[in-house]
Amino acid sequence: MPGTRESEPAPSIKQLEVELIAELSRYEPHEQAAILKRMVYRLKKGRYVRSPIIIVKDMIRTPLVWLLLSMGVMIPILFYILFVWVSLAVEG
């Protein structure tokens, strides 16, 4: 049975910082700024720390989702009512 990632020792923060600086040093200064800016943006958005379940919960709480859901339910009903109304108008 292969080992799990949990059993591996976690690298220290200092080691990760050194590795990050070493990787960034391979790029030009303007590229480094762009990479760091993108990392900060992703951290602020919570892509690394939040679970996908929390992200979906946040999306469900937005009013736009409920508006789109309501429209998705109401449009077929309105088209049916319009179809019946036009059919009765043509028949009568």
Side-chain angles (χ1 to χ4, degrees):
M1 181 165 120
T4 61
R5 291 184 180 251
E6 294 174 1
S7 63
E8 298 174 3
S12 68
I13 292 179
K14 197 62 161 168
Q15 180 184 359
L16 291 173
E17 287 175 350
V18 169
E19 187 177 337
L20 177 64
I21 292 171
E23 287 296 319
L24 282 175
S25 67
R26 297 181 340 169
Y27 297 96
E28 297 292 323
H30 66 279
E31 291 174 330
Q32 290 177 3
I35 291 169
L36 289 173
K37 184 177 178 182
R38 187 172 40 227
M39 288 172 65
V40 168
Y41 173 76
R42 287 182 179 174
L43 285 172
K44 284 183 179 178
K45 292 292 273 185
R47 292 184 182 163
Y48 292 122
V49 289
R50 295 187 337 188
S51 72
I53 295 171
I54 294 173
I55 294 171
V56 170
K57 283 182 182 178
D58 288 344
M59 286 177 17
I60 289 174
R61 290 183 183 150
T62 61
L64 179 63
V65 170
W66 292 108
L67 178 69
L68 292 175
L69 219 89
S70 301
M71 287 176 50
V73 169
M74 291 304 294
I75 287 176
I77 294 171
L78 290 175
F79 277 132
Y80 179 73
I81 291 171
L82 183 66
F83 175 75
V84 170
W85 184 74
V86 168
S87 297
L88 289 174
V90 168
E91 211 175 277

